[in-house]
Amino acid sequence: MATQAESGAAPKRPPSRGVVALILAALFLTGLLAGVALDRMVLHHRHGPFAGMGRGPGGGLREHPERRAELQKRLADRITEDLDLTPDQRLQLEAVLPRHAAAFDSLRTDMDARLRTLLDSSSADVERILTPEQRTRWVALRQRFEDRGPPPPP
């Protein structure tokens, strides 16, 4: 097999730092846009047993036990239907779901805080590459998404 020197081809130079930075920025923004698209297409559509159970302003399940009960009923209905549970199994399922509600709340609170930290950090990184005019538009864009509230609970 001939080497580059033997074949007469000029050796390839690695891409410059500027090109690498542009590629990384493009990948980051592509991921950001994909995440926004996923959020819009999947997380904010209220389908299935969780329809209408979002945690928007004033919509937390801890603050509204009747909403939690409705969510648990819908979930139990769905599991009962999908798995053909017997009436006895359904009663046992209805006892299991409320026992784990506090653990889910705790996990959701922790994840919300971690997600907020990650979003703030990534936003700060994006702001560093923007012009002042773009930064103003970026802040407005982020505010629009935050005004919509968090996605519904799983």
Side-chain angles (χ1 to χ4, degrees):
M1 179 175 225
T3 63
Q4 284 181 337
E6 293 171 350
S7 67
K12 289 187 177 182
R13 289 183 23 209
S16 71
R17 286 186 177 167
V19 170
V20 171
L22 285 173
I23 291 170
L24 289 174
L27 287 172
F28 176 78
L29 290 174
T30 300
L32 180 68
L33 291 174
V36 170
L38 176 67
D39 178 67
R40 296 281 49 106
M41 292 171 45
V42 176
L43 297 177
H44 282 278
H45 286 288
R46 310 301 201 261
H47 297 294
F50 307 111
M53 293 291 131
R55 291 181 296 131
L61 294 175
R62 278 181 284 203
E63 294 84 12
H64 299 282
E66 69 283 354
R67 292 184 71 197
R68 181 185 298 278
E70 175 61 24
L71 172 65
Q72 290 172 350
K73 180 187 179 313
R74 286 184 190 186
L75 184 58
D77 289 346
R78 180 68 184 263
I79 293 171
T80 299
E81 181 181 329
D82 288 350
L83 302 180
D84 296 319
L85 297 183
T86 65
D88 183 54
Q89 289 174 311
R90 169 67 186 243
L91 287 173
Q92 291 176 56
L93 176 66
E94 288 174 348
V96 165
L97 294 176
R99 275 200 318 255
H100 297 281
F104 279 110
D105 287 343
S106 175
L107 177 62
R108 190 172 296 118
T109 299
D110 180 54
M111 291 302 295
D112 285 349
R114 292 175 62 193
L115 179 60
R116 169 58 48 207
T117 300
L118 180 59
L119 286 171
D120 290 344
S121 172
S122 63
S123 181
D125 287 345
V126 169
E127 286 182 25
R128 282 188 203 95
I129 64 172
L130 301 177
T131 66
E133 188 255 330
Q134 290 171 327
R135 195 172 299 119
T136 300
R137 291 175 22 210
W138 170 254
V139 170
L141 179 66
R142 271 198 71 196
Q143 187 60 49
R144 276 200 337 240
F145 287 116
E146 289 181 12
D147 289 345
R148 292 180 182 159

